[in-house]
Amino acid sequence: MVSYKELGLVNSREIFAKAVKGGYAIPAFNFNNMEQMQAIIQACVEAKSPVILQVSAGARKYANQTLLRYMAQGAVEYAKELGYSIPIVLHLDHGSSYELCVDCIQSGFSSVMIDGSHLPYEENIALTKKVVDYAHQYDVTVEGELGVLAGVEDDVKAEQHTYTRPEEVVDFVKRTGVDSLAISIGTSHGAYKFKPGTDPKIRLDILAEIEKQIPGFPIVLHGSSSVPQDLVKIINENGGKLKDAIGIGEDQLREAAKSAVCKINIDSDGRLAMTAAVRKVLTEHPDEFDPRKYLGPARDELKKLYIHKCEAVLGSAGKA
Ligand code: G3H
Ligand code: 13P
Ligand code: ZN
């Protein structure tokens, strides 16, 4: 058993409480490789923002779970080396089973999500509570989810949003003992969140109803990429084919961050930033074959994007 405390990581309890009070949200950025991790840490150190390093099941498969954990451990030292120590959470994104959560907790994660959102309500409660009971023995914080996001999640494809029902949240939070709650209010995973010609709005009215039920309780938004159109344009001008990619308006996320939403998950925007940079470099320099020559610029663009998120969208800059 490796405790996250020995690695210099923190759980999410204190930073969430501060974020709820302060009207901002902590960025939860996914990483799968070294350049993404470097960009996240460089950006959050420069912005002086707390950060949640997110690891999905797919990331564990791609990069190897042990390597990712050591990378997160290294991230703590790396931040110090860059000159400023920020709170860093290592979080399991969309944990699909009790066993996976236990495995992550034992290997140094400070926070886990158990995603029982596709299960019938009582089964979601039972599974979430089981994870909470285990995690809390080690002071690891747990995120649960109520409601289903449209799009692809955990290889399950939902055609339509099942919005979180505000009347269920008090019961769910009380009976599971979760530390934060992910909700479904119209955000979705990936780069195609809205159909062209539809009104790209999330249901801030449902968020307000939920907040009324559990005032001050930490709320999480998944699927919160904004799909910057300048990045889509660079990709498409350099051989890419992304048609009708539409995300959540940054103004809506800023509004949500002022509420009890204290964790905002962003993955796809980072993928777009890296892809745009790589495509541009390789189009402009077809003779280039040193990975550092395209992964370096990709890392720089990612860093810029993440600083922008902290400063202009989540409001987390300067809060570390
Ligand atoms: O919620 C999904 C995250 O964007 C992680 O995606 O499962 O492809 O690593 P992934
Ligand atoms: P995006 O696909 O909108 O970036 O969402 C990421 C996410 O929710 C990770 O859990
Ligand atoms: Zn998610």
Side-chain angles (χ1 to χ4, degrees):
M1 167 91 196
V2 184
S3 165
Y4 70 86
K5 293 181 185 177
E6 293 160 30
L7 309 183
L9 298 161
V10 298
N11 69 21
S12 64
R13 195 168 292 120
E14 200 176 311
I15 58 172
F16 280 0
K18 283 187 184 161
V20 171
K21 261 200 191 147
Y24 60 92
I26 314 284
F29 297 134
N30 291 69
F31 83 110
N32 297 267
N33 65 28
M34 183 187 74
E35 282 78 8
Q36 290 171 325
M37 189 278 280
Q38 289 173 317
I40 296 170
I41 297 302
Q42 289 173 9
C44 292
V45 164
E46 203 163 310
K48 295 192 165 54
S49 169
V51 69
I52 297 168
L53 288 174
Q54 271 191 167
V55 172
S56 70
R60 280 166 59 96
K61 215 162 150 189
Y62 172 78
N64 178 278
Q65 66 223 41
T66 311
L67 284 178
L68 287 178
R69 199 268 285 166
Y70 275 107
M71 248 189 252
Q73 183 177 346
V76 175
E77 301 307 315
Y78 183 49
K80 282 187 209 153
E81 217 173 273
L82 291 175
Y84 199 77
S85 180
I86 53 171
I88 301 175
V89 175
L90 177 60
H91 176 78
L92 170 67
D93 193 22
H94 294 285
S96 53
S97 69
Y98 171 77
E99 291 72 21
L100 176 58
C101 292
V102 167
D103 197 46
C104 286
I105 291 165
Q106 287 187 350
S107 69
F109 280 60
S110 58
S111 172
V112 293
M113 174 188 193
I114 177 68
D115 184 354
S117 61
H118 302 288
L119 299 172
Y121 182 67
E122 287 299 327
E123 284 177 40
N124 187 2
I125 288 191
L127 176 62
T128 306
K129 182 177 167 15
K130 193 173 168 192
V131 171
V132 169
D133 287 346
Y134 181 83
H136 282 183
Q137 295 178 71
Y138 303 99
D139 204 19
V140 168
T141 39
V142 180
E143 173 185 327
E145 180 167 343
L146 258 186
V148 184
L149 274 64
V152 180
E153 197 178 318
D154 294 342
D155 296 330
V156 178
K157 193 168 177 5
E159 291 297 337
Q160 286 215 320
H161 301 284
T162 306
Y163 295 123
T164 306
R165 292 154 55 94
E167 59 274 27
E168 283 179 351
V169 296
V170 172
D171 184 62
F172 185 83
V173 163
K174 264 198 189 148
R175 286 172 61 199
T176 58
V178 277
D179 302 283
S180 61
L181 180 68
I183 59 168
S184 168
I185 56 167
T187 64
S188 60
H189 293 105
Y192 303 91
K193 300 188 193 296
F194 299 99
K195 297 234 158 63
T198 56
D199 190 18
K201 289 268 187 308
I202 55 171
R203 295 287 303 270
L204 292 172
D205 56 319
I206 300 179
L207 169 62
E209 276 306 308
I210 292 169
E211 265 203 271
K212 259 190 224 159
Q213 299 295 320
I214 43 173
F217 190 81
I219 291 173
V220 176
L221 286 188
H222 281 249
S224 297
S225 278
S226 294
V227 189
Q229 292 302 303
D230 54 330
L231 295 178
V232 174
K233 190 162 175 269
I234 295 172
I235 291 172
N236 287 340
E237 281 172 358
N238 290 279
K241 276 194 183 136
L242 299 183
K243 204 173 166 286
D244 299 328
I246 304 170
I248 315 287
E250 291 189 340
D251 51 331
Q252 295 176 63
L253 293 169
R254 184 71 204 100
E255 213 39 51
K258 287 181 192 156
S259 73
V261 168
C262 62
K263 172 176 180 271
I264 291 190
N265 287 10
I266 296 169
D267 186 1
S268 296
D269 282 357
R271 297 178 181 191
L272 291 169
M274 287 192 92
T275 301
V278 171
R279 279 196 177 277
K280 192 159 183 286
V281 172
L282 292 180
T283 304
E284 288 170 1
H285 306 279
D287 54 331
E288 198 51 76
F289 64 95
D290 178 345
R292 293 172 296 187
K293 294 287 167 34
Y294 49 86
L295 291 178
R299 184 176 60 195
D300 293 344
E301 288 307 314
L302 197 52
K303 176 185 171 186
K304 260 195 246 162
L305 174 90
Y306 287 154
I307 290 180
H308 167 74
K309 297 285 179 190
C310 295
E311 288 178 344
V313 187
L314 312 192
S316 63
K319 307 294 185 186

